[in-house]
Amino acid sequence: MDYKRFKYELFKAAQKQGFKEFELYYTSGGSLRAGVFKGELDTYDSNTSCGAGFRGKINGKMGYAYTEILDGRSVDMLVTRSKENAEITDEGDEEFIYMEKDTYKTINAYNPKLESIKPTDVIGKAMDMEKRAFECDSRVDNVRACSVSLYKGSTRISNSYGLDMEYTTNGVYGYAIPVVRSGEDVRTAVAYRVGRRYELIDPNAIADEAVERAISYLGAGSVDSGSYKAVICNEAAADMLDVYSGIFSAEKVQKGLSLLKGKLGEKVASGIVTIVDNPLMENGMCGGPFDCEGVATGTKEVVTCGVLNTYLYNLKTAHKDDVGSTGNAARGSYSSRVGTAPSNFYIKPGDIGYEELLGYMDDGLLITELEGLHSGANAVSGDFSLAAKGFLVKSGKMSSPVEQITIAGNIFELLKSVTKVGNDIKFGFPSPGGCFGSPSILIDKLSVAGR
Amino acid sequence: MHDREMFMSIIDEALSSGGDFAEIFLEDRENNSINMVNDKLENAVSGRDQGAGIRVIDGLKSIYVYTNDTSKEGLAECAKKAAGAVGKVRIQQSSELVEVNVQNSHEVISAPSSVSNKKKVEVVRKAYARAKGYSGEIIQVSVGYVDSDQRIWIMNSEGYMAHDRRIRTRLYIQSVAGSGSENQTGFEGPGMSKGFEMFEEIDAEKHAEEASRTAVTMLNAKTCPAGRMPVVINNGFGGVIFHEACGHSLEATSVAKGNSVFSGKLGKKIASECVTAYDNGTIPNAWGSINIDDEGFKSCNNILIENGILKNFMIDRLNGKRMGMKPTGNSRRQSYRYAPTSRMTNTYIASGQSGREEIINSVNEGLYAKKMGGGSVNPATGEFNFAVAEGYLIRNGSIDKPVRGATLIGKGSDILMKIDMVGSEVKLGQGMCGSISGSVPTNVGQPILRVSEMTVGGR
C-alpha cells in the first residue's frame, strides 16, 4: 500500500493496541553507481528501496519495530512487536514524541538537474576518469577502483500529534584509486569529489589528483621515532573529527562515555579552534530543516574559540539536562533507535593558506592520510594510535614521503595543541552519522613512532 | 510467493538483452536486539528486512539491481532494469529450475522466535550485573543481545534453485573503567550460528567479567613504548592480524584484478614454514559458518597456506571467471542490498609445535598482545594497522606490566615471513567484517604465536 494508506492503518492499529503517542519514520530512495575496470564497465548497481520505523509509547516506555514492506502483515507486526519491546524495557530517561509546532526553514538540498542524468552518461564519466588515470603517468599500474554514483533520498516523519514532514535530498560523487608502481614499490591513493552539481565530478581533475598523490608516496620510508611539529591536512583532520564527534553527544556525556562531561563553559581546545554544526549549510550534504524527531534544526557553534558551548541533544537527552533539543536527533536508519548525531560538522576555517601553514611549521611532518581510525582511535578515552602517511617538511617545503609510522596521542590534548588553522576546508563523504569537514591544522607536538 | 515458474520468467527477462548468467537472491530476515546501559534495559528493536537482488553477469561485467518490492511486478521491473543496463541482444536462455536440497550442518534447537523476550532479557541482565559488579572502577557497562533469522532463496539461469535458513545469536559486552580523568574500555563479543541454546555453551557472565577485567587492567596500565620489537600475539581474536594482514589480500575481490600483493603467487612461498592457514565455513555452528554461500555454492574447508606455500584463494563466481579458477564457496553479502563477492568465513592459522611458555620465554624484550582490537588493511600494498586492546611488556622471558595504547603496523607479506613460532592451541574469535559486499559475520583465529619483529606504535 502507499504511505498515506499505510500510515492510516498503522496509526489506527496503534491506538487500538493502547499506544498513547507514536511516530512513523519513513525513508525511501534510490541510487545508481557505475564502476569501471580496464576500460570496461565492471559493476553497475541500481536500486530503489524503502523502510519504515515505528516507535510508540506505552506506560511511559518507548518500543521500536521496523519493516521494509508496507503491507497489512507489517502493520500487525510493527504494533505487536513494538508493544512487546516497550514492555521489556526499564523505566529510565523518557523518550518523547514531538508535540510542538515548529517553523521550519527551507533549504535547497535537492538538485532536479541530477534527475535527468542518463546512466550512459554516468558510465561515460567513470570511463573517462579511469582512462585519464592510466594516461596521465606511465607508472600507473592499475586502477583499483573508479566509480561515479548518483543518489536520492527522502525522509518523512508523521506522528500522532499531527506532524507530517518530508524532506528530499540528492547528490553525486566520484572517486578514483590508482595503483602506481616503480620497480617493487607500489603505492595507492584516493581522490574524490562529492556534491550536488554534476559538473563537480570532473574526471580529469579527480584522476590527476589521485595519480599525483599516489606517485608522491613512491619511495616513502619511515622516520625516527620522536616528537614532531605537524600539519594534519584537511582530509585527515576531518577524519579525526568524524571519529571523535561522539564526544559531543549528550547521550555519551550523560552515560559517562565522554570526557567532555562537566566541561560546559570550559576551555577544551586551543583558543583558535571553533567547531560548528550546521544542518542548514548551503551545499551541505547532511542535515536538513528538521531532525528525525521532527524538531526544527539550527546552526550552532559547539566550541567557540576553544570553549565548549553545548552538547548535541535530542528530546530525551535535552529533557534530562533541562535544556532544549538542539535538533540533533538522528537514526542510523529506520531500523535503529533515536540517538544523536551531528549534521554538517566542521572546524571553522581560519585565513592561512596551506603553503603558509607549512611555512609556519618550518621543519616537521605533514600528515596526509590516517588509517585504522575505527580501531586505533578510542572515543571513550580519547587515546589514538594510528598508522599514518605523509611527508617530511623542511624549511616549510615538502621533502621526502613518509610511511610506516604511527602517530599517537589523545584527542583532548591534540585539540589544545592546535597553533594555526588553515583556510582550506574540505568535507568528507556524508553518512547517517554526519558529514565532517576541516581545514588543515598545525599542531605543535605530535608523538610519532617510526624507526 | 516463491513460485518456480515466476522465478524462471524473471530470470528469462533479466537475460533478454544479453548477459551469460542471471541470478535472483531473495531474502526475508527477522532481527531482534536488546540493549542495556546505565543500569537500564534501555531499548529493544525488532524488525523485518525483506527484499531481492537481481544480478546479471555479462562477460566480466556485473549488473546488480535490488528492491524491497518482491512482488512479481517488482521483480520483473528489476529484471527489466538489469537487462536495460546490459543493452545487447540475447545470447543465453535460462534453464529449468531444479530445487537443490541444502544439507544443514548447523543444527539450531531454539530459534529466536521461539524464545520469549523474558529469557533473552535475563541473559542480558545477568551479564550486565556481573560486568558492573566486577570493580568499583567500572563506571559504565553496555550489554547488547542480538539475534537474526535469515531465510534466503537463490535461483539462477543455470537451473539452480535452493533455500537456506541461517540463525545467529551474539552477545556484546563493553565495560568502561574510569578514574575521573581517564577512561579505558574492555570488550567481549561471543557469537555462534545457533539459537538461544548458545547460552548453554557460552557463559555470558564469564565473558562479562572478562570485559571488565580488561578495562580495569588497562586503566591501571602505563602507555606502551614505541619501537620495533618482537611481538607475541595471543590465540583467539589475535587472529585478526591474519584476517586483516593476509586474509583480505587472499580474497579474489582483490586478487583477480591484480590488486593484491599475493596476485600470481600460487605455489610460491609467502609465509614462514610454520604457517598453515585455512578458511573453513563448515565448522558446525561457528559464527562465520554457512551451509551454502550467497551464490549457492557449498561451503568448504579451504587450505590457503600450507607450510608457508600459497595454496589457494577465496573465490566467488565472477572473480573466478576473471581468474580462470573455481569458486570456493566464499561468496557472501550482508543482505540483498549487496552484490555478493569473495569474503572470509572462519579464517585461522592452524596449530603448530611450540608451547605457550616456550614462546613467551623466548622473548627477552617485547610486547605480548593478549587481546587485539580491530584493524584495517590496504589490499594493494598489504599495509595494515591494528589496535592492541590488552597488552603487556615481556621482560627476560616473562610477562611484565600491562601497557595500553599500542598499535601494530606493518605489511602483510612481511609479517607472514616473520612469524617464527606457532603455538598448539587454536582458538577462534568473533567479529563483523566490513568490505564491499557489506558487513558479514566472520571468525578469526590462531594459536598463540611469535612475530620476530614488528613496529609497535605507542607513545
Side-chain angles (χ1 to χ4, degrees), chain B residues 53-89:
Chain B
I54 293 180
R55 183 167 63 143
V56 177
I57 298 178
D58 172 30
L60 295 174
K61 190 193 313 180
S62 160
I63 286 131
Y64 194 70
V65 183
Y66 73 77
T67 181
N68 295 125
D69 183 359
T70 55
S71 67
K72 187 179 177 180
E73 296 70 34
L75 293 176
E77 177 66 32
C78 265
K80 202 174 277 175
K81 258 200 212 168
V86 183
K88 298 179 186 165
V89 291

Side-chain angles (χ1 to χ4, degrees), chain B residues 200-454:
Chain B
E200 288 163 17
E201 196 172 319
I202 280 172
D203 186 338
E205 289 173 88
K206 224 168 145 182
H207 282 280
E209 190 173 318
E210 180 58 17
S212 289
R213 189 196 56 72
T214 300
V216 170
T217 306
M218 286 300 98
L219 184 67
N220 297 301
K222 293 255 172 358
T223 52
C224 183
R228 291 185 69 79
M229 58 187 87
V231 177
V232 175
I233 302 165
N234 200 14
N235 62 6
F237 201 73
V240 72
I241 187 177
F242 183 74
H243 172 103
E244 297 292 355
C246 313
H248 280 294
S249 306
L250 294 172
E251 291 169 342
T253 317
S254 38
V255 178
K257 295 184 182 174
N259 286 329
S260 164
V261 286
F262 300 124
S263 295
K265 296 268 172 76
L266 272 184
K268 300 214 168 97
K269 189 165 186 283
I270 62 160
S272 97
E273 268 152 36
C274 57
V275 177
T276 290
Y278 294 90
D279 179 83
N280 183 358
T282 69
I283 304 170
N285 299 102
W287 175 244
S289 292
I290 43 178
N291 291 312
I292 52 170
D293 72 6
D294 290 331
E295 295 180 320
F297 291 109
K298 250 184 151 165
S299 183
C300 307
N301 182 12
N302 296 309
I303 189 159
L304 302 172
I305 300 170
E306 189 173 27
N307 302 326
I309 308 292
L310 179 61
K311 287 290 175 180
N312 204 357
F313 300 113
M314 291 166 276
I315 306 167
D316 60 291
R317 179 186 285 270
L318 179 62
N319 285 306
K321 207 170 164 186
R322 200 183 284 278
M323 296 157 79
M325 290 177 76
K326 281 207 178 85
T328 55
N330 281 89
S331 193
R332 305 183 70 188
R333 52 178 127 200
Q334 178 180 327
S335 72
Y336 67 89
R337 290 171 185 250
Y338 297 84
T341 193
S342 51
R343 303 290 296 271
M344 286 174 260
T345 61
N346 307 299
T347 315
Y348 58 92
I349 294 177
S351 57
Q353 305 295 325
S354 307
R356 170 175 286 269
E357 292 305 310
E358 185 192 344
I359 292 176
I360 289 166
N361 293 344
S362 72
V363 177
N364 195 20
E365 293 243 348
L367 179 73
Y368 171 50
K370 184 174 181 187
K371 278 193 194 173
M372 295 301 307
S376 65
V377 67
N378 177 339
T381 60
E383 290 170 294
F384 66 79
N385 64 86
F386 41 106
V388 179
E390 184 179 340
Y392 296 82
L393 292 178
I394 304 179
R395 285 226 163 93
N396 303 320
S398 53
I399 293 171
D400 199 51
K401 294 192 182 82
V403 285
R404 63 157 119 129
T407 306
L408 305 180
I409 64 165
K411 286 190 177 178
S413 45
D414 293 344
I415 193 177
L416 277 177
M417 290 295 190
K418 286 184 179 155
I419 296 174
D420 59 356
M421 289 175 95
V422 177
S424 54
E425 190 203 347
V426 176
K427 260 179 86 178
L428 302 177
Q430 291 73 54
M432 292 300 294
C433 168
S435 183
I436 54 172
S437 64
S439 172
V440 299
T442 54
N443 262 329
V444 302
Q446 66 174 42
I448 188 170
L449 54 79
R450 186 177 86 162
V451 182
S452 59
E453 195 187 49
M454 270 184 106

Side-chain angles (χ1 to χ4, degrees), chain A residues 49-96:
Chain A
S49 65
C50 66
F54 174 80
R55 59 177 187 149
K57 235 160 127 177
I58 282 189
N59 300 327
K61 299 190 295 185
M62 197 75 87
Y64 283 78
Y66 74 90
T67 183
E68 294 184 338
I69 346 164
L70 307 188
D71 62 6
R73 200 179 131 197
S74 293
V75 168
D76 292 339
M77 190 276 281
L78 289 180
V79 291
T80 327
R81 300 310 295 275
S82 53
K83 190 178 176 185
E84 285 170 13
N85 287 337
E87 277 161 358
I88 59 165
T89 56
D90 291 327
E91 264 188 63
D93 303 334
E94 199 177 350
E95 281 191 42
F96 298 90

Side-chain angles (χ1 to χ4, degrees), chain A residues 6-46:
Chain A
F6 184 76
K7 181 188 126 188
Y8 174 78
E9 297 288 343
L10 181 69
F11 281 20
K12 201 169 70 180
Q15 249 160 0
K16 219 167 138 191
Q17 273 287 356
F19 283 104
K20 295 273 177 288
E21 308 168 86
F22 40 86
E23 171 197 276
L24 177 61
Y25 173 83
Y26 176 77
T27 59
S28 60
S31 68
L32 179 105
R33 184 176 75 95
V36 300
F37 183 67
K38 299 211 165 138
E40 301 234 24
L41 177 65
D42 177 48
T43 53
Y44 178 88
D45 298 344
S46 156

Side-chain angles (χ1 to χ4, degrees), chain A residues 384-433:
Chain A
F384 60 84
S385 176
L386 302 164
K389 275 187 197 157
F391 299 86
L392 268 175
V393 175
K394 286 192 177 134
S395 309
K397 298 269 175 277
M398 268 165 68
S399 71
S400 52
V402 174
E403 61 149 9
Q404 294 282 303
I405 59 166
T406 62
I407 62 165
N410 183 286
I411 189 68
F412 300 102
E413 288 163 28
L414 185 93
L415 282 171
K416 284 181 177 154
S417 62
V418 177
T419 54
K420 296 276 178 222
V421 176
N423 63 4
D424 56 340
I425 187 165
K426 183 166 185 193
F427 282 84
F429 282 94
S431 81

